[in-house]
Amino acid sequence: MRLELGRIKITDVQFGDTTKVENGTLYVNQQEIVNLIMEDEHIKSVKVELAKPGEETRITPVKDVIEPRVKVEGQGGIFPGVINKVTTVGTGRTHVLSGAAVVTCGKIVGFQEGIIDMSGPGADFTPFSKTYNVCLVIEPVEGLKQPDYEAAARMAGLKAATFIGKAGMNVQPDEVEVYETKPLLESIQEYSNLPKVGYVYMLQTQGLLHDTYVYGVDAKKIVPTILYPTEVMDGAILSGNCVSACDKNTTYHHQNNPIIHDLYARHGKDINFVGVIITNENVYLADKERSSNWTAKLCKFLGLDGAIISQEGFGNPDTDLIMNCKKIEMEGVKTVIVTDEYAGRDGASQSLADSDPKADATVTGGNANEVIVLPPMKKVIGMLDYTDKIAGGFDGSLRPDGSIEAEIQVITGATNELGFNKMSATSF
């Protein structure tokens, strides 16, 4: 598969009479967005607000972040199986409003939601302090159950991102990136002298607001399978989970998976990037065994020499991570695992809930239990009502002056296991 990403660099966002991109500025018609979101009977109200890098603005509780994109050439459309038909994507040309993002926030769904600070020390921990954010503050109808609220908020973000993304349909990109993965036998023959490397992409699928969707299917219902990396760039994988904000993969993370980008950068040079194996993170032991068995089998089937494994979440998924690592290594395939740590505020506790001697090459995203003080902000998009309740917060986290003392796991994307704030390792 060959995909061209036409990046349209967004350097400002403003409200306007028409939703369009002009000279790097994204103009958003506020009422059009409101009308679109209010088509859902589960939503009582929605407020559209803008947040720009460097502003004294705090966004919370954050549910998801989505990058606006539009399919310009090729089959299918962005977010297949959800917004568009279930057509295989990852080919042709897609335009990206690079630097823009849609952020869903508002009354809390689950306790594991996050904070984005657009300036101050918290801004250094999140990639979304650097994006021009169109924020949807969503209020559900009274009595709406949590899963229904999560689904409504998720769809609101996807619909808004799709609508805004269409503004880039006829805009000349500032740059065009080309990504291509050829059929396996052809790829192996082309780079027969290079080690064959694959990416094992673990998806959060524990249920109870811990879900990820692949072509619209809840990933807990699938067995491990193979994707072209370019399918991920076209929105084949979507977030639907409320796992701790610091290590949750938002939809934006999936669209811009840095491990995939780094592997492509080295493809044909010192490695042969064969493709992506997606697998899930389960609750029951039998399901963990099944998925890790299949994952190791697929690595062997593809003839990999090495594999990078990233996880999402912590605690229970650490077992899935180590099972995958151990079984893949037993097939003769070298591995590197990418994870964060929960080592206690003093850093002295066991970093992962599970371990094995075969997990001897690790990239860490940092210790999510580290404590940070976030200064008060002039503007809050959303509400501070749940500051003490979200994961990483505690009774008294929200101080009288509006500052917040909490573990960095409250910050969206802070120690993300995809290595979003640092280069991922691809050496074995």
Side-chain angles (χ1 to χ4, degrees):
M1 282 191 176
R2 184 179 189 275
L3 178 67
E4 296 180 359
L5 286 186
R7 295 197 175 275
I8 301 164
K9 296 182 180 179
I10 302 301
T11 55
D12 193 16
V13 61
Q14 299 179 23
F15 288 125
D17 296 332
T18 305
T19 299
K20 62 180 180 179
V21 175
E22 194 172 85
N23 298 322
T25 298
L26 171 62
Y27 294 92
V28 177
N29 184 304
Q30 189 174 12
Q31 192 58 50
E32 285 181 330
I33 299 294
V34 171
N35 293 343
L36 180 68
I37 303 309
M38 290 307 297
E39 292 175 355
D40 190 334
E41 62 182 10
H42 298 100
I43 296 176
K44 180 180 179 180
S45 67
V46 60
K47 186 177 182 181
V48 183
E49 299 196 49
L50 306 179
K52 306 179 185 182
E55 294 181 336
E56 291 187 52
T57 300
R58 174 164 294 145
I59 312 168
T60 186
V62 173
K63 292 159 182 52
D64 197 12
V65 184
I66 309 112
E67 184 173 59
R69 298 188 173 197
V70 62
K71 176 61 69 177
V72 175
E73 298 174 2
Q75 64 183 20
I78 301 298
F79 310 133
V82 179
I83 298 296
N84 287 288
K85 291 183 178 180
V86 188
T87 302
T88 301
V89 294
T91 60
R93 184 163 177 165
T94 296
H95 282 184
V96 182
L97 300 192
S98 187
V102 172
V103 178
T104 52
C105 60
K107 183 179 178 181
I108 200 164
V109 176
F111 70 93
Q112 293 176 308
E113 296 184 29
I115 295 171
I116 296 173
D117 277 359
M118 300 305 293
S119 63
D124 294 335
F125 287 89
T126 175
F128 307 120
S129 64
K130 304 169 186 64
T131 52
Y132 291 85
N133 300 320
V134 180
C135 305
L136 309 180
V137 185
I138 299 168
E139 175 72 19
V141 297
E142 297 297 328
L144 189 64
K145 294 182 179 180
Q146 285 179 293
D148 297 326
Y149 177 23
E150 184 281 320
R154 171 163 33 95
M155 286 301 299
L158 296 174
K159 288 163 67 175
T162 302
F163 176 81
I164 293 170
K166 290 178 180 178
M169 174 70 78
N170 299 312
V171 178
Q172 183 65 33
D174 295 286
E175 62 180 356
V176 177
E177 301 170 350
V178 178
Y179 300 92
E180 184 174 17
T181 298
K182 296 181 179 179
L184 182 61
L185 295 181
E186 187 177 343
S187 176
I188 291 174
Q189 185 176 10
E190 183 176 13
Y191 299 113
S192 58
N193 61 320
L194 297 178
K196 299 180 291 297
V197 176
Y199 172 35
V200 175
Y201 196 168
M202 292 173 56
L203 307 176
Q204 176 60 255
T205 56
Q206 293 178 291
L208 298 177
L209 305 178
H210 288 58
D211 303 304
T212 303
Y213 297 88
V214 180
Y215 280 91
V217 175
D218 187 337
K220 74 168 65 68
K221 299 179 181 179
I222 69 171
V223 291
T225 189
I226 299 169
L227 289 184
Y228 280 96
T230 54
E231 292 179 78
V232 182
M233 297 176 181
D234 269 349
I237 300 177
L238 304 176
S239 174
N241 77 70
C242 300
V243 71
S244 285
C246 69
D247 55 11
K248 154 181 178 165
N249 295 335
T250 66
T251 297
Y252 187 105
H253 285 91
H254 292 303
Q255 293 170 293
N256 295 279
N257 187 304
I259 294 176
I260 290 176
H261 282 259
D262 287 355
L263 288 169
Y264 263 130
R266 296 177 62 171
H267 178 60
K269 298 175 183 177
D270 56 357
I271 64 169
N272 181 0
F273 180 27
V274 172
V276 174
I277 298 170
I278 59 169
T279 185
N280 43 26
E281 300 172 356
N282 298 288
V283 176
Y284 296 107
L285 180 59
D287 295 327
K288 292 178 183 291
E289 292 283 8
R290 180 187 302 108
S291 289
S292 56
N293 288 343
W294 277 59
T295 300
K297 177 181 67 176
L298 289 173
C299 287
K300 182 70 172 180
F301 178 75
L302 293 175
L304 299 184
D305 298 299
I308 293 181
I309 312 168
S310 69
Q311 77 168 127
E312 182 175 16
F314 67 98
N316 189 300
D318 293 349
T319 298
D320 301 82
L321 174 68
I322 297 303
M323 278 186 171
N324 284 322
C325 172
K326 180 172 62 177
K327 293 179 181 180
I328 293 169
E329 287 272 356
M330 290 173 65
E331 293 290 356
V333 181
K334 296 181 179 180
T335 63
V336 173
I337 63 174
V338 184
T339 181
D340 63 1
E341 304 175 52
Y342 282 77
R345 295 179 185 179
D346 59 359
S349 299
Q350 182 174 327
S351 295
L352 298 176
D354 200 356
S355 62
D356 189 272
K358 294 186 182 298
D360 58 1
T362 303
V363 177
T364 176
N367 180 17
N369 293 133
E370 183 178 339
V371 175
I372 188 172
V373 175
L374 307 175
M377 293 285 161
K378 290 181 179 178
K379 180 179 180 181
V380 174
I381 296 177
M383 58 208 69
L384 297 173
D385 304 35
Y386 308 98
T387 303
D388 292 0
K389 298 179 181 179
I390 58 178
F394 44 84
D395 188 25
S397 279
L398 180 61
R399 296 171 170 177
D401 66 351
S403 63
I404 298 171
E405 180 183 4
E407 297 179 356
I408 61 172
Q409 63 173 301
V410 302
I411 301 175
T412 301
T415 60
N416 189 270
E417 289 106 329
L418 292 183
F420 217 80
N421 292 321
K422 60 187 70 191
M423 294 294 287
S424 59
T426 53
S427 59
F428 301 91

